Amino acid sequence: MDITDETFARLMVDLYGSLPRQGPGSPESTRRAFAMLGALPALPGVLDIGCGTGAQTIELASLTQGHIIGLDVFDWALDTLASRIEEAGLIGRVHTIQQSMDEMEFSPESFDLIWSEGALYIMGFEHALKTCRSLLKPGAHLAASELSWFQDDPPSELRQFWAAGYPDIKTVEDNVRLIEDCGYEMLGHFHLPAEDWWNDYYTPMLSLLPSLRQRYAEEPDAMATLDENETEMEMHRKYSDYYGYEFFVCRRPSS
Ligand SMILES: C[S@@+](CC[C@H](N)C(=O)[O-])C[C@H]1O[C@@H](n2cnc3c(N)ncnc32)[C@H](O)[C@@H]1O
């Protein structure tokens, strides 16, 4: 996409900034994945990669008494999370770090739990799995949702759509194999339900589109981005049996 950095930055805030979350998910799915973890220390150190405005970060803070770092590259997302942290009385226990996941500066074996909802694809799932493994203490956990094929014969229209948007998409089975090959023990995985795509993500985004189309009417690249988002929703409406987010919960073995 040939869109200027300035227009892109503005559009990101306008399109995603006011949504309850920046990708598919729900408190129920966060809790379901959390319940699949093995035993954690009483006060685990948790890293939430690509936290966005922190829907799952705040949920995690209700599930564990540990210290949580929400890491994201965008200041507008972290500003919203900072307000949520303050409102929830979590200052001192939940922190934000503005940093790219490609340039994380934590020491090896720093965390008891790494969480990431809909974000590890940004660094490439395989590279992310290897990076996270080195940041986890032996015996520590990774929970991450990753776009995956649910069937291995997707219709060509859908295959073409994701070939452009996420050419690395793999089947659930291939992702399970990849996770194990990257040195994890799989504890379990599940599909995010359809309502996780719509309730806090597509439906509120859909309601923003008419006003954004007016605001960006003179900016063809921005309009193309809005069109892409609408096409993505259409794909999900038609083909959600064929693909979706799979939530994977796994552990770095103790030895
Ligand atoms: C699909 S959203 C998911 C956000 C959040 N986890 C959720 O489920 O609502 C992906 C997130 O990754 C963030 N992101 C994009 N590139 C990044 C990077 N290089 N490093 C860290 N975060 C990044 C975006 O700002 C966005 O918040």
Side-chain angles (χ1 to χ4, degrees), residues 112-212:
D112 299 296
L113 172 62
I114 297 181
W115 203 268
S116 187
E117 297 199 19
L120 292 188
Y121 77 94
I122 292 161
M123 64 182 346
F125 195 46
E126 180 171 357
H127 178 53
L129 289 169
K130 291 175 179 167
T131 302
C132 290
R133 192 180 187 283
S134 70
L135 295 176
L136 288 170
K137 296 175 187 170
H141 293 82
L142 170 68
S145 60
E146 165 72 358
L147 196 72
S148 306
W149 294 124
F150 293 161
Q151 301 186 33
D152 49 20
D153 58 345
S156 64
E157 180 188 34
L158 180 65
R159 197 181 277 281
Q160 278 169 28
F161 178 78
W162 285 115
Y166 187 35
D168 263 357
I169 180 171
K170 295 179 179 56
T171 61
V172 171
E173 293 72 26
D174 284 348
N175 277 325
V176 168
R177 210 168 299 122
L178 179 65
I179 289 167
E180 290 173 347
D181 288 348
C182 286
Y184 293 90
E185 175 192 350
M186 180 62 65
L187 297 180
H189 54 97
F190 62 92
H191 295 1
L192 288 193
E195 59 266 26
D196 280 19
W197 288 75
W198 291 96
N199 290 357
D200 284 345
Y201 186 52
Y202 281 163
T203 300
M205 186 189 283
L206 206 49
S207 71
L208 288 176
L209 289 180
S211 64
L212 292 182

Side-chain angles (χ1 to χ4, degrees), residues 16 20-26 48-57 71-74 76-77 99-104 115-123 145 201 245:
Y16 296 108
R21 54 186 307 137
Q22 287 68 49
S26 66
D48 180 8
I49 299 178
C51 60
T53 58
Q56 72 291 310
T57 325
L71 178 144
D72 204 280
V73 77
F74 289 121
W76 55 264
Q99 197 171 84
S100 173
M101 64 177 85
D102 296 311
E103 295 164 6
M104 292 189 288
W115 203 268
S116 187
E117 297 199 19
L120 292 188
Y121 77 94
I122 292 161
M123 64 182 346
S145 60
Y201 186 52
Y245 272 97

